[in-house]
Amino acid sequence: MRKLWIDTDCGSDDAVALIMALKSDEVQIEGITTVCGNVPLDLATKNTLMTLEVTNKEMPPVYVGASKPLAKDLITAVNVHGQDGMGDCDLIHPTIGPEKRHAVEAILDIVKKNPDEIEIVTIGPVTNIALAIMKSPKTMSKVKRIYSMGTAGFGRGNTTAVSEFNVYVDAEAYSIMLNSGIPITIIGFDVCLGDAALNKEDMEMLLNSGVKEAVFSVQCNKSLLDYNLKRSGEHIVDLPDAVAMGVVLWDDIMTDRVDCYCYTCIHEEKAYGQVILDDGAVLAVSDGFVSNEPNAVVCKSIDNDLFKNRMFELLLK
Ligand code: RIB
Ligand code: CA
């Protein structure tokens, strides 16, 4: 059985990813760590705990992590996910609490005890991961693989024109992770759009199912729906973290992928959080990266129908 560790800034799309992993029979969740991002840390933790309670499957331990990025002040996405990060629908009343240990200690401990077996899924800023790498690079070199929902992929940013939110919150951390030597698979924002997003019919089907996790998955994304309706008039809910979890659970939904040398911009203010993906394509002149070996596999496309059908199977189970 695969051993997963999930690091999350639990906003509403994270919640769907957590439910998918909890309900999957193909993986064992060894633990969950929370990090500031979509919402401040305390809300990310409360939202994670509530999602576990709603799913009432086997409860993995939850450990609280970084309350601020490595270098910058926290920028949240409450304008997208709601003040509580979960649609502001009064859904969040957890009765369970987190463990006492700090997230970074918990991550280092589980990796030490399970060398080359732990697959870490990051669906928020990677501050906890960077802290663990800085604290014990030797231990973290024993992580089997990191699957990261992060970067704009080969598309435009969602936070600045060039930067995706999970990287923008803590680009220094993302750079540390990319330079760690740990095998990494990146699912960028670009593959989470279009038909990968929930449409009106999908949401109605899930709401009408009466299955509590399916209903919760739509209700907690109300703010995200309102944000999309206001921004583009589209009745859709894009779920980047659920897409990333789909790639983790089902490698065969990835229809194209490429090895890249990925460089995180942290110095130039206007490019802060951009991740330049160099796929080694021949260029007329050197792009300055030619000597760098690939440091991540980047997902270029997924089979949207396969992803959605399998996600629905889990949410409705
Ligand atoms: O850019 C999308 C990512 O940022 C998702 O993980 C979302 O939950 C936010 O954390
Ligand atoms: Ca997230």
Side-chain angles (χ1 to χ4, degrees):
M1 177 79 84
R2 295 170 63 187
K3 296 180 174 179
L4 293 195
W5 189 276
I6 302 173
D7 193 70
T8 177
D9 62 337
C10 203
S12 54
D13 65 315
D14 302 65
V16 182
L18 289 173
I19 292 170
M20 289 167 66
L22 285 161
K23 296 186 80 173
S24 166
D25 297 326
E26 299 164 84
V27 296
Q28 166 72 25
I29 305 178
E30 296 294 329
I32 299 174
T33 36
T34 60
V35 66
C36 61
N38 279 320
V39 285
L41 178 63
D42 60 328
L43 292 183
T45 305
K46 274 181 76 175
N47 296 342
T48 299
L49 294 164
M50 191 67 223
T51 303
L52 294 186
E53 284 197 57
V54 165
T55 313
N56 72 18
K57 296 285 283 180
E58 187 215 336
M59 296 268 184
V62 175
Y63 303 88
V64 180
S67 59
K68 75 173 291 302
L70 294 184
K72 286 179 36 190
D73 292 335
L74 175 62
I75 305 259
T76 72
V78 294
N79 61 313
V80 176
H81 294 276
Q83 290 304 313
D84 70 358
M86 299 284 270
D88 290 340
C89 305
D90 195 21
L91 292 172
I92 308 305
H93 307 288
T95 61
I96 55 173
E99 306 295 320
K100 295 257 177 300
R101 274 196 110 180
H102 190 278
V104 172
E105 292 309 319
I107 291 169
L108 291 172
D109 195 42
I110 196 75
V111 173
K112 221 173 275 172
K113 287 180 179 153
N114 302 271
D116 304 318
E117 285 193 79
I118 302 296
E119 297 174 78
I120 298 178
V121 186
T122 72
I123 50 177
V126 298
T127 312
N128 290 334
I129 309 306
L131 288 168
I133 292 167
M134 288 191 285
K135 179 156 188 162
S136 180
K138 188 161 168 285
T139 300
M140 291 299 279
S141 70
K142 292 295 179 192
V143 170
K144 181 176 184 182
R145 177 166 289 273
I146 294 175
Y147 289 87
S148 169
M149 191 284 127
T151 85
F154 295 91
R156 57 164 292 125
N158 63 0
T159 303
T160 71
V162 293
S163 174
E164 176 276 328
F165 182 78
N166 285 339
V167 182
Y168 187 76
V169 169
D170 196 342
E172 285 80 0
Y174 214 84
S175 179
I176 289 168
M177 183 180 80
L178 279 173
N179 294 328
S180 67
I182 300 168
I184 297 171
T185 297
I186 288 176
I187 299 94
F189 189 65
D190 57 334
V191 299
C192 307
L193 300 168
D195 290 341
L198 294 184
N199 59 38
K200 195 163 189 278
E201 293 68 35
D202 295 333
M203 286 182 257
E204 282 165 1
M205 178 276 290
L206 292 170
L207 285 171
N208 295 335
S209 72
V211 175
K212 62 183 174 354
E213 298 92 328
V215 173
F216 182 81
S217 296
V218 177
Q219 288 176 336
C220 73
N221 278 289
K222 182 181 177 309
S223 298
L224 185 47
L225 173 59
D226 294 343
Y227 174 82
N228 286 330
L229 284 167
K230 210 160 40 192
R231 186 174 54 90
S232 65
E234 290 179 291
H235 196 117
I236 58 157
V237 165
D238 49 299
L239 298 170
D241 295 338
V243 171
M245 192 58 76
V247 168
V248 173
L249 296 174
W250 314 300
D251 185 74
D252 61 330
I253 71 168
M254 250 197 294
T255 46
D256 193 7
R257 71 191 81 186
V258 61
D259 290 347
C260 287
Y261 171 68
C262 307
Y263 175 83
T264 312
C265 301
I266 57 176
H267 301 299
E268 165 58 59
E269 191 207 340
K270 293 288 184 285
Y272 183 82
Q274 178 177 11
V275 177
I276 300 171
L277 305 177
D278 174 29
D279 62 4
V282 177
L283 296 162
V285 295
S286 159
D287 63 0
F289 291 143
V290 287
S291 60
N292 295 77
E293 288 303 306
N295 53 5
V297 176
V298 179
C299 175
K300 291 191 80 173
S301 59
I302 66 165
D303 180 326
N304 291 321
D305 291 341
L306 197 54
F307 158 65
K308 265 195 183 168
N309 290 335
R310 290 186 184 170
M311 172 174 66
F312 292 156
E313 241 176 83
L314 285 179
L315 295 182
L316 295 166
K317 203 163 95 176

